[in-house]
Amino acid sequence: MTDASASLTIRRAGPDDLPALSAWRSDGPVAWVDASRFAAELSTRSYRPEWSWIAEEGGRAVGRALWWGTPTADRPSTLDCLLTSGATGAAENVGAALIRAGRDAFGSAAALEFNVDVPPRWNDDPAAVAAVRWRDAAARAGGFTRRTERVSFARSDADPWPERSTRLRFGAASDEAFRELFARVAAGSLDAHTLDMVDREGVDALADDDLAFYLSLPGEREAWRAAELQDETPVGFIVPTRTAYDASISYLGVLPEHRGLGYVHDLLAEMVHVHHGDAQARIVGTTDAANTPMRAAFERAGFSLTRARIVHAQ
């Protein structure tokens, strides 16, 4: 396709473009995919030539967009790396054209996201602010309508393990029981995605979507646990899973009537023990930047802040 407003040619990459896709360099503050990682992810099919897009002007490459997906997927889920050359204004135009091309090809109604990873305190760095700003503009012009800042944490099994709860007990529960729990914890949630989906589609749709999503993640379904008091009063749940690379604090929830009593610490401690007890050396977790209770829980459980992520979604 040609973007007349920017005099650009935007095209899907092919196998012959792999050297050019690998040749990109960046010294900016935004995390990017270098040649080594690109090659490694190509070998697993998480990156693919046909999931990559190139912007050209006058026969010269001026932009690259790499979309990521699971090795068995028929289309990607995340725009993982967006790089351009030239001034900020040109970068916005090139970036928007690359995003539109990918969204048009992969289905704008699909659950696509564009992730921008920056240092935890990126707001204090003018270069990072500028890099985020033009990507924000490109995301909006490219069709993404929601923006959420999230923060990521990590810990290792060498860090002190938090003490396990003595006031809660954890047990297995059916998919139907977890679907009900997903619906119940939505009330009063601080999570931006939860609030948006409930507003647009309702709590039942959210619960269905949550159950399907977490069942689709790597990890053992048997590790999911419902939490209750000693008298069997339900309090919440934990969903330990994995990312493509690490053990993950995917989801924990406290029922509305039990919030404010510190149960988030009990639930997170249990998840740490589940993962490290399963010989997982590293655990990662992410929460919205505005979710101060969850951020405090990560810190109390021995996690360290590792990055901020700007998530653009539909």
Side-chain angles (χ1 to χ4, degrees):
M1 65 172 283
T2 298
D3 189 300
S5 64
S7 300
L8 295 173
T9 298
I10 307 296
R11 64 178 179 84
R12 191 194 296 260
D16 292 343
D17 292 306
L18 290 178
L21 289 170
S22 301
W24 277 83
R25 300 288 184 271
S26 176
D27 58 1
V30 170
W32 62 286
V33 176
D34 62 13
S36 175
R37 180 181 166 195
F38 185 55
E41 300 267 14
L42 278 171
S43 69
T44 67
R45 289 179 52 79
S46 286
Y47 292 139
R48 304 176 198 177
E50 64 270 25
W51 288 356
S52 306
W53 295 83
I54 297 173
E56 294 176 327
E57 189 171 33
R60 181 176 65 91
V62 294
R64 179 192 79 168
L66 303 180
W67 291 78
W68 180 96
T70 59
T72 58
D74 58 3
R75 63 183 173 186
S77 58
T78 305
L79 175 54
D80 225 14
C81 183
L82 181 68
L83 292 178
T84 69
S85 60
T88 298
E92 293 176 10
N93 294 332
V94 172
L98 286 165
I99 290 171
R100 283 195 298 270
R103 292 181 73 249
D104 289 346
F106 305 135
S108 58
L112 301 176
E113 291 185 349
F114 169 30
N115 292 336
V116 181
D117 290 343
V118 286
R121 295 168 182 82
W122 65 273
N123 282 292
D124 297 330
D125 179 2
V129 170
V132 169
R133 183 178 292 128
W134 78 252
R135 287 173 172 86
D136 283 350
R140 288 192 301 270
F144 287 109
T145 58
R146 291 191 295 116
R147 180 191 188 277
T148 305
E149 183 173 347
R150 296 177 64 79
V151 286
S152 296
F153 293 83
R155 59 162 288 131
S156 78
D157 57 1
D159 297 317
W161 295 21
E163 291 187 9
R164 251 177 166 151
S165 177
T166 58
R167 55 181 178 166
L168 295 181
R169 59 186 188 185
F170 296 84
S174 66
D175 287 354
E176 293 75 16
F178 268 98
R179 185 199 174 281
E180 179 182 353
L181 289 168
F182 292 155
R184 291 178 64 185
V185 298
S189 173
L190 297 176
D191 181 76
H193 167 74
T194 297
L195 296 173
D196 178 75
M197 188 162 186
V198 170
D199 183 59
R200 289 185 294 111
E201 302 183 40
V203 71
D204 287 333
L206 171 76
D208 289 338
D209 184 72
D210 280 347
L211 181 61
F213 174 72
Y214 290 107
L215 285 173
S216 75
L217 295 181
E220 300 297 328
R221 168 62 179 84
E222 292 74 17
W224 298 18
R225 294 287 183 269
E228 61 184 22
L229 299 174
Q230 301 303 321
D231 64 2
E232 301 184 359
T233 301
V235 169
F237 61 86
I238 60 172
V239 179
T241 66
R242 292 188 57 82
T243 69
Y245 314 99
D246 299 296
S248 175
I249 305 297
S250 283
Y251 195 4
L252 62 83
V254 179
L255 297 177
E257 61 269 28
H258 295 294
R259 289 174 187 160
L261 300 174
Y263 287 119
V264 62
H265 303 295
D266 302 63
L267 298 175
L268 185 54
E270 184 66 16
M271 292 181 82
V272 168
H273 281 266
V274 168
H275 277 317
H276 285 331
D278 191 37
Q280 302 299 317
R282 187 170 188 264
I283 307 173
V284 298
T286 304
T287 191
D288 287 357
N291 190 341
T292 53
M294 193 65 227
R295 295 182 66 162
F298 275 123
E299 293 169 0
R300 177 170 165 174
F303 286 77
S304 298
L305 183 62
T306 58
R307 71 180 179 196
R309 166 170 284 182
I310 314 299
V311 181
H312 298 279
Q314 323 233 69

